[in-house]
Amino acid sequence: MNALNISEYMQTLGVQARQASARMAKATAAEKNAVLKSLARLLRENVEALAKDNANDIERAVAAGLAAPMVDRLKLTPRIVEVLAQGCEQLAAMPDIIGEIIGMKQQPSGIRVGQMRVPLGVFGMIYESRPNVTVEAASLSIKSGNACILRGGSEAIDSNRALARLVQQALTDNGLPAEAAQLVQTTDREAVGQLIAMPQFVDVIIPRGGKGLIERISREAKVPVIKHLDGNCHTYVDDPVDIDMAVRVADNAKTQKYSPCNASEGLLVARGVAREFLPKIGAIFAAKGVEMRCDAEAKAILSQFDPKDATEQDWYEEYLAPIISIKVVAGVDEAIAHINHYSSHHTDAILTRDHVNAQRFLREVDSASVMVNTSTRFADGFEYGLGAEIGISTDKFHARGPVGIEGLTSLKYVVLGQGELRG
Amino acid sequence: MNALNISEYMQTLGVQARQASARMAKATAAEKNAVLKSLARLLRENVEALAKDNANDIERAVAAGLAAPMVDRLKLTPRIVEVLAQGCEQLAAMPDIIGEIIGMKQQPSGIRVGQMRVPLGVFGMIYESRPNVTVEAASLSIKSGNACILRGGSEAIDSNRALARLVQQALTDNGLPAEAAQLVQTTDREAVGQLIAMPQFVDVIIPRGGKGLIERISREAKVPVIKHLDGNCHTYVDDPVDIDMAVRVADNAKTQKYSPCNASEGLLVARGVAREFLPKIGAIFAAKGVEMRCDAEAKAILSQFDPKDATEQDWYEEYLAPIISIKVVAGVDEAIAHINHYSSHHTDAILTRDHVNAQRFLREVDSASVMVNTSTRFADGFEYGLGAEIGISTDKFHARGPVGIEGLTSLKYVVLGQGELRG
């Protein structure tokens, strides 16, 4: 397609999505759950066919010389398909929040005023490599009564097409419009530029991918973006603290997995417990091959574990690797100040016995998730009980932190009267 | 100032606001309420001084040949000052929602997850003429624990400066930073361009003013905008309906005041009640000099009242004047379809006895406020019990409808653990 054709094509997707969204907004819980259950069944019935389509993507990726981890992300194994099917069933089993009315109160005039939860309308999802996002996004869209336009990476186009066909079959098999979940069929980059600039058809854009992609989309979008940038998360070990608990949690926060955005990249330790705590965690990090980049004080305490000097840039860094920055601080004040300055406002935790320090940390640390005595690795939609997660927001506006079904809705005012007049 | 100086000046305001916002976020309810009570006192003590500064603005406006209604809007009468003082006291008396924690639930892992309400941070307010907005915005900012940068119209600069001085005195008298509420001191337009493009310092922009201003700001802003565009509101008279109630409410919705955004601009009438209802409301509209722009069917019924033909454009129109469009529809389906097509998604009401139609209207009309059996004129923050209103949002994202203190806050996740690890 040339640019003009792509523009027309995207407009058509937009018109169709807007129309479908009106139908989805009034779909009953039973209708939406039936679609999700059908989709689970279709996924299981088509494991082999999906493997074939997926093999095309893998073959192309290998031929193109893609790095092994990139090829890995493309894989749609029977296990992944089963997880997707179970996810659809879990969503079907969750309560339907669309149409719920909250806070209905009578006002002095006599009118009763509350708020009804309604879908946002249409969202655009822009993602790379992993084809499972196609099903995750579509199923959340269906449950929340929205319509979605999905733009996956060109490297996964065959898998995405196959999955999108199953989603649309599940919709039409249950009397709902196929256009409620449309995959962008062209892999031309121009399509992304169009998708993020149609406020008349698309209410919000959710990008998933590298920082470069997300920054570009945020800069150029003409509609709101639920964006997830860095995860420079911190664990702060306060004084007093249960040292053994602190060692276990700080270890888990850094080393349980190195690549997730909610892994801790910075460790702050109160001076009063540094000499007791640091050698214990240092031994674990050293045994696991985690490089420690330290301020002078931490370095002195950890000298036996070959610590490195932290530079100013280290305090900002999201390593996503077996590296951690370590700093000794005077106490909770310095910890909060450090975090509010250097953190990416994603997730930060305090480990402490002190009630006042815990309360201050929760209140004053300006991050999407603030935690006491647990691992930053818990910051995700499933662990928070949201059922599923369309993304994590590092913004403050609309949705903050893990975004589930509720983040795809808004509240409109509902006013019930008996003929009241404004005086 | 030249463009470079303005840029530096606005950056300085931004840095100062960001710093002040951290202090405001942890201010206690007692501190914030003390500021609001001081401000009420200062306003009353300075009625005469304010009148003097206001007289400068009025004089300049008259000399510049501004139209009478524009000059009127500039006026800061003793009565208006008293209303502002009372507004501050009302805000001080309201509960403080900052720091409240909602929905704390234990998850299967053992962690407890809830959400804490926190200020957005810094908002920029851009407004025209009415100087009272300076106090309304500053007082809402204080109560909600935010910092604000206020950019009023050049025509009210003397009044705005005088009011902003009182706000800052109230802040510093109570140990809070003056920079929590800063007025932009230059009237250069370039300052607006800067204010809406500093995402590092300003979290959201709230414009109040004409559609042109708001559209320009939305187009050019690099931060989220809580925007209020048209108010093309509808009243739909269903069948069956209490005709007398319908006549009173439809009259109130159109004629109680013509200029507000929540006045009804369109009247839809179910065919089954049109012959009984329309002559009654037509007589009232005719007596009050309201021009009726009708479709053929309504025109035939209203022939004795000199009705006009409605054009296609009339269905879209926000008259803000003694003019109303009138259309006979088959029933609730056609009414909902008409409203979702032509309305500005601000406020729309159904007048009915039918329960099913009422429920469908509430669910399916895609507007910020949907009403049953009452006047669209009720759509505002005070009538909804929000205490005060910083604006009305016709968007779906973040805040919809009248925006009060809650709209100036966001929710962050709070996680409480006892050493849980991610497995």
Side-chain angles (χ1 to χ4, degrees):
Chain A
M1 292 195 221
N2 62 31
L4 186 66
N5 289 346
I6 288 175
S7 172
E8 272 172 24
Y9 170 66
M10 294 306 293
Q11 297 271 326
T12 304
L13 292 191
V15 170
Q16 291 176 168
R18 183 59 85 206
Q19 278 170 354
S21 75
R23 175 67 184 93
M24 292 304 288
K26 58 183 181 179
T28 63
E31 284 175 317
K32 293 181 284 184
N33 294 339
V35 175
L36 293 168
K37 287 181 205 161
S38 293
L39 179 52
R41 189 176 42 73
L42 286 168
L43 285 166
R44 291 193 180 107
E45 286 173 6
N46 287 276
V47 171
E48 283 173 37
L50 288 168
K52 257 194 187 167
D53 289 306
N54 186 238
N56 294 340
D57 291 332
I58 304 283
E59 229 169 82
R60 251 196 343 269
V62 172
L66 250 69
M70 288 292 284
V71 175
D72 257 8
R73 282 197 218 160
L74 282 175
K75 284 185 183 157
L76 204 57
T77 63
R79 210 191 113 262
I80 290 176
V81 174
E82 176 57 27
V83 169
L84 289 174
Q86 285 178 14
C88 291
E89 288 170 339
Q90 280 163 14
L91 270 178
M94 285 181 68
D96 195 314
I97 60 172
I98 298 303
E100 71 170 352
I101 294 180
I102 61 173
M104 183 67 71
K105 291 194 186 84
Q106 195 173 36
Q107 301 301 322
S109 63
I111 61 172
R112 285 175 297 148
V113 180
Q115 290 178 296
M116 182 191 284
R117 192 169 295 283
V118 291
L120 279 178
V122 177
F123 70 88
M125 184 94 194
I126 299 168
Y127 51 106
E128 295 170 331
S129 34
R130 296 185 203 279
N132 36 321
V133 176
T134 303
V135 171
E136 289 169 8
S139 58
L140 274 166
S141 177
I142 290 162
K143 183 75 182 187
S144 59
N146 287 287
C148 62
I149 300 177
L150 307 170
R151 161 62 192 226
S154 56
E155 65 284 2
I157 187 72
D158 283 349
S159 311
N160 287 337
R161 281 184 180 147
L163 291 167
R165 271 195 301 272
L166 298 183
V167 171
Q168 295 199 322
Q169 189 186 331
L171 281 160
T172 53
D173 280 355
N174 291 282
L176 288 173
E179 295 76 19
Q182 300 177 99
L183 180 76
V184 176
Q185 297 290 335
T186 169
T187 57
D188 196 303
R189 278 181 161 235
E190 177 61 20
V192 173
Q194 293 288 330
L195 181 57
I196 65 177
M198 314 193 291
Q200 68 279 38
F201 301 128
V202 176
D203 297 293
V204 57
I205 291 288
I206 307 172
R208 266 211 217 170
K211 199 178 172 179
L213 172 81
I214 293 171
E215 281 180 339
R216 181 169 71 85
I217 287 171
S218 302
R219 211 169 36 240
E220 294 170 12
K222 304 286 179 208
V223 295
V225 177
I226 295 181
K227 65 171 172 292
H228 172 238
L229 291 171
D230 295 356
N232 176 19
C233 305
H234 293 79
T235 297
Y236 163 57
V237 180
D238 193 34
D239 173 19
V241 71
D242 176 335
I243 295 281
D244 289 342
M245 182 275 284
V247 171
R248 283 196 308 273
V249 172
D251 174 26
N252 184 265
K254 179 67 219 178
T255 74
Q256 194 251 342
K257 255 193 182 177
Y258 296 112
S259 59
C261 57
N262 55 18
S264 281
E265 307 290 13
L267 179 63
L268 304 174
V269 184
R271 186 158 294 127
V273 298
R275 297 204 159 272
E276 189 182 356
F277 172 78
L278 277 176
K280 294 189 179 181
I281 194 77
I284 294 174
F285 286 163
K288 293 188 178 177
V290 176
E291 181 180 319
M292 292 167 258
R293 300 196 184 167
C294 303
D295 75 335
E297 208 170 336
K299 196 181 174 200
I301 300 173
L302 290 165
S303 56
Q304 62 186 114
F305 304 114
D306 190 24
K308 303 281 182 290
D309 285 311
T311 63
E312 170 72 7
Q313 183 53 32
D314 275 303
W315 311 124
Y316 287 107
E317 209 63 57
E318 182 184 26
Y319 302 113
L320 305 175
I323 307 170
I324 190 164
S325 70
I326 305 180
K327 183 177 166 66
V328 173
V329 295
V332 73
D333 280 306
E334 193 182 340
I336 292 171
H338 179 97
I339 290 170
N340 282 340
H341 184 80
Y342 293 103
S343 134
S344 63
H345 309 290
H346 186 300
T347 300
D348 298 284
I350 183 175
L351 312 180
T352 187
R353 287 278 324 197
D354 189 287
H355 177 72
V356 174
N357 289 356
Q359 294 299 314
R360 284 200 48 208
F361 191 92
L362 290 178
R363 176 83 184 252
E364 295 176 29
V365 169
D366 184 24
S367 295
S369 289
V370 285
M371 301 182 162
V372 179
N373 291 341
T374 195
S375 167
T376 55
R377 288 280 293 113
F378 278 110
D380 86 41
F382 289 97
E383 295 293 343
Y384 283 6
L386 306 183
E389 174 183 291
I390 192 93
I392 295 183
S393 165
T394 51
D395 280 327
K396 293 179 178 184
F397 207 66
H398 185 71
R400 207 170 176 191
V403 179
I405 293 167
E406 209 174 284
L408 297 174
T409 67
S410 74
L411 293 167
K412 67 180 180 187
Y413 280 99
V414 166
V415 180
L416 303 180
Q418 300 88 29
E420 288 82 359
L421 306 178
R422 181 96 187 249
Chain B
M1 293 195 220
N2 62 31
L4 186 65
N5 289 344
I6 288 175
S7 172
E8 273 173 22
Y9 170 66
M10 294 305 293
Q11 297 269 327
T12 304
L13 291 191
V15 170
Q16 292 176 166
R18 182 60 83 205
Q19 277 170 356
S21 75
R23 174 69 184 91
M24 293 303 289
K26 57 182 181 179
T28 64
E31 286 176 317
K32 293 181 280 184
N33 294 339
V35 175
L36 293 168
K37 286 181 205 162
S38 293
L39 179 53
R41 189 176 44 72
L42 286 168
L43 286 166
R44 291 193 179 106
E45 287 173 5
N46 287 277
V47 172
E48 284 173 36
L50 287 168
K52 259 194 185 166
D53 289 308
N54 186 237
N56 294 340
D57 290 333
I58 305 283
E59 229 168 82
R60 251 196 345 267
V62 172
L66 249 69
M70 287 292 284
V71 174
D72 257 10
R73 282 196 218 161
L74 281 176
K75 282 185 185 158
L76 204 56
T77 64
R79 210 190 114 263
I80 290 176
V81 174
E82 176 57 27
V83 169
L84 288 174
Q86 285 177 14
C88 291
E89 288 169 339
Q90 282 164 13
L91 270 180
M94 285 180 69
D96 194 315
I97 59 172
I98 298 303
E100 72 171 353
I101 294 181
I102 60 173
M104 183 65 72
K105 290 194 187 86
Q106 195 173 38
Q107 300 301 323
S109 63
I111 60 172
R112 285 174 298 147
V113 180
Q115 289 177 296
M116 183 191 285
R117 191 169 294 285
V118 291
L120 279 179
V122 177
F123 70 88
M125 183 94 194
I126 299 167
Y127 50 107
E128 294 170 332
S129 36
R130 297 186 204 276
N132 38 321
V133 176
T134 303
V135 171
E136 289 169 8
S139 58
L140 274 166
S141 177
I142 291 162
K143 183 75 181 187
S144 59
N146 286 287
C148 61
I149 300 177
L150 307 170
R151 160 63 192 225
S154 56
E155 64 285 359
I157 187 73
D158 284 350
S159 311
N160 286 338
R161 281 184 180 148
L163 291 168
R165 272 194 300 273
L166 299 183
V167 171
Q168 295 200 321
Q169 190 185 330
L171 281 161
T172 54
D173 281 356
N174 292 281
L176 289 175
E179 295 74 20
Q182 301 178 99
L183 181 75
V184 177
Q185 296 291 334
T186 170
T187 58
D188 195 302
R189 277 179 162 236
E190 178 60 21
V192 173
Q194 292 288 330
L195 182 57
I196 65 178
M198 313 193 291
Q200 68 276 40
F201 301 128
V202 176
D203 298 292
V204 58
I205 290 288
I206 307 173
R208 267 211 217 168
K211 198 177 173 181
L213 172 81
I214 293 170
E215 281 180 339
R216 182 169 70 87
I217 287 172
S218 304
R219 211 170 35 241
E220 294 171 13
K222 302 286 179 207
V223 295
V225 177
I226 295 182
K227 64 172 173 289
H228 172 239
L229 292 171
D230 295 357
N232 176 20
C233 304
H234 294 79
T235 297
Y236 163 57
V237 181
D238 192 33
D239 173 21
V241 70
D242 174 336
I243 293 283
D244 289 342
M245 183 274 283
V247 170
R248 284 195 307 273
V249 172
D251 174 27
N252 184 267
K254 178 69 220 177
T255 74
Q256 194 252 343
K257 257 193 181 175
Y258 297 112
S259 59
C261 58
N262 55 19
S264 280
E265 307 290 13
L267 179 63
L268 304 173
V269 184
R271 187 159 292 126
V273 298
R275 297 204 159 273
E276 188 181 356
F277 171 77
L278 277 176
K280 293 189 181 183
I281 194 75
I284 293 174
F285 285 163
K288 294 187 177 177
V290 177
E291 181 179 320
M292 292 167 259
R293 301 196 184 167
C294 303
D295 76 334
E297 206 169 335
K299 195 181 175 199
I301 300 173
L302 290 165
S303 56
Q304 62 184 114
F305 303 115
D306 190 24
K308 303 281 183 289
D309 285 312
T311 64
E312 171 72 6
Q313 182 54 32
D314 275 301
W315 310 123
Y316 287 108
E317 208 63 56
E318 181 183 27
Y319 302 114
L320 303 175
I323 307 171
I324 192 165
S325 71
I326 305 179
K327 182 178 169 63
V328 173
V329 295
V332 72
D333 281 307
E334 193 181 341
I336 292 172
H338 179 99
I339 290 171
N340 282 341
H341 185 80
Y342 293 103
S343 134
S344 61
H345 309 290
H346 186 298
T347 300
D348 298 283
I350 183 174
L351 311 180
T352 188
R353 288 279 323 197
D354 188 286
H355 177 72
V356 174
N357 289 355
Q359 294 299 316
R360 284 202 46 208
F361 192 92
L362 290 178
R363 176 84 185 252
E364 295 176 29
V365 169
D366 183 25
S367 295
S369 291
V370 285
M371 301 182 163
V372 178
N373 291 340
T374 194
S375 168
T376 56
R377 288 280 294 111
F378 277 109
D380 85 42
F382 289 96
E383 296 292 341
Y384 283 6
L386 306 184
E389 175 183 291
I390 193 92
I392 295 182
S393 165
T394 51
D395 280 327
K396 292 180 180 184
F397 207 66
H398 185 72
R400 206 171 176 190
V403 179
I405 294 166
E406 208 174 285
L408 296 173
T409 67
S410 75
L411 294 167
K412 68 179 178 187
Y413 280 98
V414 167
V415 180
L416 303 180
Q418 300 88 30
E420 287 83 359
L421 306 179
R422 182 96 187 249

